[in-house]
């Protein structure tokens, strides 16, 4: 549980640290550049461990993983942090555990109960209601970016989890990053600005953190915890991620821990817990 918690803690800092990084860098450079640096570290890891090449039949799965967690989530969420609040994003992305479950159900053609779908709709409705209340009755483009980013990540989690059943989970994320390297090299070059060299230490530290930790090492801890303690048990740690993000935003960015944020985070997490119980009973 502790190992899994370390992984979640690493992931939960992504939005606040991204908010710091976009003050100095273009969000697209952050998204592609962090994947480039993570890919280079992943390549070194694969060479050091002499990991076997993935089979041709798995290339499509690696492409899906890359689209989800290497490109989709980083691009959408980093662009959202250019104008949006990390505290706001914490509540919107609180639906990710439930979304991952729903995508897994659809991906593997399971048949959960009607109650599961009703609770899932309730959770989605809570997120929409929160967004509407926060934005004076409108659903903004920032909310849309966060939702798209969350869905991308969940698709990558499901496909990566499935692939991890037959190969080393650490190799799964590593190969997804390495396969993506050609695109990230080109896009990092095109989005880089020479003025970035003058960015301060905080900006570059934030960039390096986003590259090495949530994009690479976070998966090591997360998958290791799931492997040791069991998916059903350790995955419950993910429920505290929204609260960790809210706390981190309060500490690093000075965001206030508002009652509204905490209440909706609690309600969303409650729907996740309830849906998981219904899914387990059905199975």
């Amino acid at each position: 549980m502790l190992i899994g918690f370390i992984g979640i803690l690493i992931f939960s800092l992504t939005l606040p640290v991204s908010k710091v990084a976009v003050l100095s860098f273009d969000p697209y450079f952050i998204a592609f550049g962090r994947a480039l640096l993570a890919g280079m570290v992943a390549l070194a890891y694969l060479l050091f461990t002499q990991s076997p090449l993935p089979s041709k039949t798995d290339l499509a799965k690696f492409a899906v993983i890359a689209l989800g967690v290497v490109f989709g989530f980083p691009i959408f969420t980093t662009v959202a942090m250019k104008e949006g609040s990390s505290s706001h994003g914490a509540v919107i992305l609180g639906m990710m555990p439930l979304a991952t479950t729903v995508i897994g159900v659809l991906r593997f053609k399971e048949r959960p109960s009607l109650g599961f779908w009703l609770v899932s709709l309730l959770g989605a409705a809570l997120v929409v209601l929160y967004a509407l209340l926060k934005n004076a009755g409108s659903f903004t483009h920032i909310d849309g970016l966060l939702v798209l980013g969350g869905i991308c990540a969940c698709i990558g989690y499901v496909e990566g989890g499935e692939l991890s059943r037959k190969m080393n989970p650490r190799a799964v994320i590593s190969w997804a990053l390495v396969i993506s390297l050609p695109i990230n090299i080109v896009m990092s070059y095109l989005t880089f600005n020479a003025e970035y060299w003058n960015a301060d230490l905080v900006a570059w530290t934030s960039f390096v953190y986003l590259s090495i930790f949530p994009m690479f090492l976070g998966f090591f801890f997360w998958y290791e915890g799931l492997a040791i303690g069991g998916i059903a048990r350790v995955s419950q740690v993910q429920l505290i991620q929204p609260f960790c993000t809210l706390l981190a935003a309060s500490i690093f960015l000075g965001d206030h821990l508002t009652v509204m944020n905490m209440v909706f985070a609690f309600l969303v997490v409650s729907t996740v817990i309830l849906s998981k119980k219904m899914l387990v009973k059905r199975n």
Side-chain angles (χ1 to χ4, degrees):
M1 294 291 283
L2 178 60
I3 294 174
F5 171 73
I6 293 173
I8 288 303
L9 186 61
I10 290 172
F11 293 148
S12 67
L13 297 179
T14 300
L15 293 185
V17 176
S18 295
K19 187 66 179 177
V20 173
V22 294
L23 297 177
S24 302
F25 305 121
D26 177 79
Y28 292 101
F29 168 70
I30 296 173
F32 292 111
R34 63 184 276 203
L36 169 60
L37 180 55
M40 294 172 64
V41 176
L43 178 59
Y45 168 80
L46 292 172
L47 292 173
F48 178 77
T49 57
Q50 298 181 338
S51 298
L53 291 171
S55 64
K56 293 182 179 179
T57 57
D58 291 331
L59 289 179
K61 294 181 179 181
F62 278 111
V64 172
I65 296 170
L67 287 173
V69 300
V70 179
F71 296 116
F73 182 81
I75 292 174
F76 287 127
T77 55
T78 307
V79 173
M81 287 300 97
K82 185 68 176 179
E83 300 177 31
S85 160
S86 57
S87 297
H88 180 80
V91 180
I92 300 295
L93 295 181
M95 275 292 292
M96 283 183 60
L98 180 54
T100 302
T101 304
V102 171
I103 292 172
V105 164
L106 297 174
R107 169 69 172 81
F108 302 113
K109 299 179 180 179
E110 297 181 22
R111 294 184 177 181
S113 65
L114 176 62
F116 169 81
W117 291 115
L118 291 176
V119 172
S120 299
L121 289 174
L122 175 61
L126 285 170
V127 170
V128 172
L129 177 61
Y130 169 80
L132 293 176
L133 291 175
K134 288 283 287 187
N135 299 304
S138 62
F139 195 77
T140 68
H141 72 285
I142 294 174
D143 296 316
L145 290 170
L146 289 168
V147 170
L148 288 173
I151 291 174
C152 286
C154 294
I155 292 174
Y157 288 168
V158 170
E159 205 63 45
E162 172 66 13
L163 197 54
S164 296
R165 293 181 178 182
K166 66 176 184 178
M167 64 182 297
N168 186 335
R170 292 179 287 280
V172 171
I173 186 60
S174 296
W175 279 116
L177 286 165
V178 169
I179 290 172
S180 308
L181 267 177
I183 295 176
N184 288 318
I185 290 173
V186 173
M187 293 307 299
S188 296
Y189 174 78
L190 293 176
T191 55
F192 181 77
N193 189 314
E195 295 181 358
Y196 294 162
W197 293 121
N198 299 321
D200 59 23
L201 181 61
V202 173
W204 279 111
T205 300
S206 300
F207 177 82
V208 172
Y209 176 86
L210 292 171
S211 304
I212 304 300
F213 288 90
M215 196 137 220
F216 186 58
L217 292 181
F219 285 95
F220 280 36
F221 287 99
W222 181 233
Y223 285 143
E224 185 72 17
L226 293 176
I228 295 175
I231 294 176
R233 179 167 174 258
V234 180
S235 64
Q236 302 301 313
V237 178
Q238 194 176 11
L239 299 175
I240 66 174
Q241 184 170 337
F243 302 103
C244 290
T245 301
L246 288 171
L247 183 61
S250 174
I251 295 173
F252 296 123
L253 303 174
D255 289 359
H256 296 295
L257 288 172
T258 66
V259 174
M260 183 177 177
N261 284 347
M262 294 299 290
V263 167
F264 270 90
F266 174 79
L267 291 175
V268 170
V269 167
S270 297
T271 63
V272 175
I273 295 173
L274 186 57
S275 69
K276 285 181 177 291
K277 288 184 177 181
M278 289 187 171
L279 191 61
V280 170
K281 287 181 180 180
R282 176 75 176 187
N283 293 335

